[in-house]
Amino acid sequence: MTLLERFARGDPDAFESLFRESYADVYGWLVRLVRDRAAAEDLTIEVFWRIYRSHARFDPARSFGAWARRIASNAAVDHFRRTRRASVVRVATGTPSSDSSARRDLHVRVERAYRQLPPKPRVVAELALIEAWPHEEIAAALGISRSAVKSRAARAMRLLREAFGREGIAP
Amino acid sequence: MTHVSDEQILRLLRAELAAPASAEAPADLWARVQHRIDEGPQTERSAFDWILLAAVLVLSILRPEGVGILLLHF
């Protein structure tokens, strides 16, 4: 019996082996999505709890890494739902006194506009708009259709356009 | 309201929010995963749950005859 089959049958040793093989990838994926190492660490624990709980639903003929990445993406979406309001960065008002403060101000405004995105479009925006991944790869990583990726990316862009306008961001 | 084109948005996003550098995973997570498994499910109640509960309570007071129908769902 393979490691994946043993895991699907609930073997705790197989689960520990898979954890040790894959937790660094899951953590790296979460750092990429949530941009916060401490949050990514906590989410990695949560993801492996979900993996442990869902072992019976795992198909050993499929990729464990891809399955874990999809679970991690869902955990990131849940994290954004919980933290969306709290994570809005406050920007000091007034005229910037120097180039560096103007630069800092622009960075904070862009980040604030970005953090206003709803959770699902935000995950797609990270991969499609910032990292410029092909839609097909995003669809595979998130376990959604290409049309869903396209629609979430378009929605993210529309919301960013509005948010950039509200923030008074000019290039 | 300032108008920013899609190309300018992408350029600003990529300049200001560059992808985080690859991070080395902490080494001691297995013990925390085991602890999390021992804890079991953590059910978080959303605002919707509380609103639903309040609505059921109010309906039960206003229409006590409906309680029997609700009990059929358990």
Side-chain angles (χ1 to χ4, degrees), chain A residues 35 41-42 107 129 161, chain B residues 4 6 14 16-17 26 32:
Chain A
R35 297 173 163 272
E41 198 173 310
D42 291 342
H107 177 82
L129 306 184
R161 209 179 297 127
Chain B
V4 188
D6 289 358
R14 288 169 189 166
E16 300 298 327
L17 304 177
R32 290 179 60 192

Side-chain angles (χ1 to χ4, degrees), chain A residues 3 9 20 25 40 87-88 90 111 129 135 138 141 155 163:
Chain A
L3 179 66
R9 287 175 179 235
R20 295 197 186 284
D25 288 341
S87 65
V88 172
R90 293 198 177 280
E111 186 169 3
L129 306 184
H135 285 185
I138 299 171
R155 185 171 174 224

Side-chain angles (χ1 to χ4, degrees), chain A residues 30-78:
Chain A
L30 286 164
V31 168
R32 177 179 243 155
L33 293 183
V34 303
R35 297 173 163 272
D36 177 336
R37 291 179 186 201
E41 198 173 310
D42 291 342
L43 285 171
T44 301
I45 309 297
E46 181 62 25
V47 166
F48 277 95
W49 151 247
R50 293 184 188 188
I51 286 172
Y52 171 81
R53 197 179 51 178
S54 313
H55 65 84
R57 289 203 293 274
F58 175 66
D59 176 359
R62 309 194 78 154
S63 158
F64 178 81
W67 185 62
R69 193 173 267 205
R70 282 200 289 275
I71 291 174
S73 304
N74 289 332
V77 167
D78 293 342

Side-chain angles (χ1 to χ4, degrees), chain A residues 92-123:
Chain A
T93 53
T95 309
S97 58
S98 67
D99 284 353
S100 65
S101 66
R103 173 89 194 153
R104 172 72 192 150
D105 182 65
L106 175 66
H107 177 82
V108 170
R109 286 175 194 276
V110 169
E111 186 169 3
R112 184 162 66 179
Y114 178 72
R115 286 175 183 268
Q116 287 170 20
L117 287 176
K120 287 181 178 176
R122 184 168 161 187
V123 167

Side-chain angles (χ1 to χ4, degrees), chain B residues 6 24 30 40 42 44 54 57 61 65 74:
Chain B
D6 289 358
E24 193 174 323
W30 175 242
Q42 291 174 343
E44 285 183 18
L57 286 174
I61 292 164
E65 66 275 17
F74 290 98

